[in-house]
Amino acid sequence: MDTHSALYNRCKTRLAQLREIAPRQTVTLEEKLKENGITRREFMTWSASVTALLALPLPFTSLVSEAAELADRVPLIWLHMAECTGCSESLIRTDTPNLDSLIFDHISLEYHETLMAASGWQAEENLEHALEAYKGNYLLAVEGAIPTANNGAYLTVGCKGHTGLHIVKEAAEGAAAIISVGTCAAFGGVQAAAPNPTGAKGVQDVINKPVINLGGCPPSEKNIVGTLMYFIMFGKLPALDMFNRPKWAYGARVHDNCERRGRFDAGEFVETFGDQGAKDGYCLYKVGCKGPYTYNNCPTERFNHHTSWPVLAGHGCIGCSEPNFWDDMADFEKPLGRQLLHGVDATADTIGAVILGATVVGIGAHAVASLFAKPLEE
């Protein structure tokens, strides 16, 4: 309670400071919500869900709503490096405006190559002005890996021909906080897969400041907006795991919250895509699901207005929020156990130690036995 009380007071102080800053948007959030047919009740319901998402007690709900209304006081600079823009698409590609996209729209977005109208010299001037005018106060979001080979020559951006490496280092220098949006920015992603000829790296590997990593290809819009909201509310980084990912989003394994977990425990597995087990919603571990090795909230938050996620749609998790997933999690349609125990007459104990590690702790022996009672076919 003492910790929550201190956090509550910190948030109140932070919001009071933001209230002293002149709004940067000409239209208030309340007016935007009304314009899009979103009621105050729906807004407070969203605030409560964000409060729960951030693992905060219910009394913080009113502070979440207040922070959302003050979001335009926090300048946001969003850079695009070596990427596909899928992380931005995760947030803005909605069939109708929802609260997450409206909150993002309400934030003072000073620079975003995909969304801004400016281009060429004007875009360069906008970025330079934002870096100088809001120095020490802006939130920096980076989407995409940073090529470092040949001094970053594999990514050149803008009419001045600066490398992505140069731009990120310059922008990071004056940032109040830095968010790596997506696995490419966090860990290098697909661009860093072997043999990695461009020397692609995550943001944290090219600068010397703390970075919040939002792993995922892409991360859900909830994880992006939730992280923005946390910084707006508290002006600091949330509790992070060993890979600098927010614990509130990446603190549990995909496997533990998967709707097919009961099938795993019962030893009911899809053997091949399209078989009866697949039609009946059986566990996808045998056809490559990496849920036991992956930390993310995909099963609970899902994508596309909370509609679905890969496992619910019928394909196993590929572990995209983990470092080096493209190399370490391949083949995406075979379990890692085939690579580790090929040709070995494994016992359940060996499987517990080598294949699933802590995953099989508390799992019935019948489930494990059904996986490896006979050699798996290649």
Side-chain angles (χ1 to χ4, degrees):
M1 286 299 294
D2 289 340
T3 301
H4 287 151
S5 177
L7 201 58
Y8 190 91
N9 290 334
R10 180 189 180 102
C11 184
K12 291 286 288 184
T13 301
R14 164 76 169 172
L15 296 181
Q17 292 170 346
L18 291 179
R19 207 176 292 109
E20 295 297 318
I21 301 173
R24 295 188 177 91
Q25 298 279 11
T26 55
V27 180
T28 67
L29 179 61
E30 183 179 359
E31 291 170 336
K32 288 182 179 180
L33 297 179
K34 186 175 181 180
E35 183 180 316
N36 286 277
I38 297 174
T39 65
R40 182 71 183 178
R41 186 184 186 89
E42 290 171 323
F43 174 55
M44 293 308 297
T45 300
W46 174 88
S47 300
S49 70
V50 172
T51 301
L53 178 72
L54 297 177
L56 296 171
L58 191 60
F60 279 79
T61 299
S62 61
L63 298 184
V64 170
S65 62
E66 186 178 350
E69 292 167 348
L70 297 173
D72 65 326
R73 270 73 162 181
V74 179
L76 173 64
I77 295 174
W78 188 298
L79 301 178
H80 290 267
M81 297 289 114
E83 43 79 40
C84 67
T85 315
C87 299
S88 289
E89 297 283 1
S90 174
L91 184 57
I92 65 175
R93 281 289 185 185
T94 55
D95 54 355
T96 56
N98 64 7
L99 272 158
D100 290 316
S101 60
L102 285 173
I103 297 300
F104 183 69
D105 181 59
H106 188 61
I107 287 174
S108 181
L109 190 57
E110 303 298 323
Y111 185 87
H112 189 297
E113 290 162 15
T114 304
L115 301 178
M116 66 187 185
S119 62
W121 291 103
Q122 185 182 3
E124 290 277 2
E125 290 172 2
N126 287 351
L127 177 58
E128 291 170 358
H129 173 266
L131 293 178
E132 184 60 34
Y134 307 115
K135 189 173 183 179
N137 296 312
Y138 61 82
L139 182 59
L140 175 65
V142 182
E143 182 176 353
I146 317 300
T148 61
N150 292 342
N151 295 318
Y154 291 99
L155 176 63
T156 304
V157 181
C159 51
K160 292 187 177 180
H162 291 313
T163 65
L165 181 62
H166 168 86
I167 295 170
V168 165
K169 286 185 174 181
E170 182 182 37
E173 192 66 32
I178 303 166
I179 303 174
S180 292
V181 183
T183 294
C184 295
F187 310 118
V190 176
Q191 286 74 251
N196 193 7
T198 66
K201 295 181 180 180
V203 175
Q204 64 185 1
D205 294 323
V206 301
I207 64 172
N208 295 314
K209 297 182 72 172
V211 176
I212 308 172
N213 289 327
L214 300 184
C217 190
S220 75
E221 65 270 21
K222 277 286 190 290
N223 289 353
I224 299 172
V225 172
T227 302
L228 295 176
M229 288 299 302
Y230 192 97
F231 178 76
I232 292 169
M233 290 175 66
F234 302 109
K236 67 170 190 172
L237 307 184
L240 305 175
D241 69 6
M242 64 185 293
F243 296 121
N244 290 335
R245 300 174 300 193
K247 287 184 177 180
W248 56 262
Y250 301 89
R253 285 175 309 166
V254 166
H255 181 71
D256 294 333
N257 291 315
C258 179
E259 61 265 20
R260 300 184 190 231
R261 172 62 188 267
R263 300 292 194 177
F264 179 94
D265 292 350
E268 298 172 341
F269 298 92
V270 175
E271 300 290 339
T272 58
F273 287 107
D275 67 10
Q276 190 58 45
K279 296 174 184 176
D280 292 338
Y282 283 10
C283 176
L284 297 164
Y285 180 79
K286 279 191 177 183
V287 287
C289 184
K290 304 305 187 294
Y293 318 93
T294 305
Y295 288 78
N296 208 333
N297 56 6
C298 300
T300 53
E301 294 307 319
R302 301 183 179 178
F303 295 85
N304 299 326
H305 292 227
H306 198 73
T307 301
S308 188
W309 68 294
V311 171
L312 181 60
H315 194 283
C317 166
I318 64 173
C320 68
S321 58
E322 301 305 304
N324 306 314
F325 87 95
W326 193 259
D327 296 322
D328 293 348
M329 299 294 184
D331 180 325
F332 293 133
E333 295 184 352
K334 294 181 181 178
L336 290 181
R338 294 187 177 186
Q339 301 170 25
L340 298 177
L341 290 183
H342 178 63
V344 177
D345 183 15
T347 65
D349 290 339
T350 304
I351 293 162
V354 180
I355 292 292
L356 300 180
T359 303
V360 299
V361 175
I363 296 177
H366 63 284
V368 179
S370 73
L371 269 174
F372 299 101
K374 58 183 179 179
L376 293 172
E377 298 178 0
E378 290 292 347

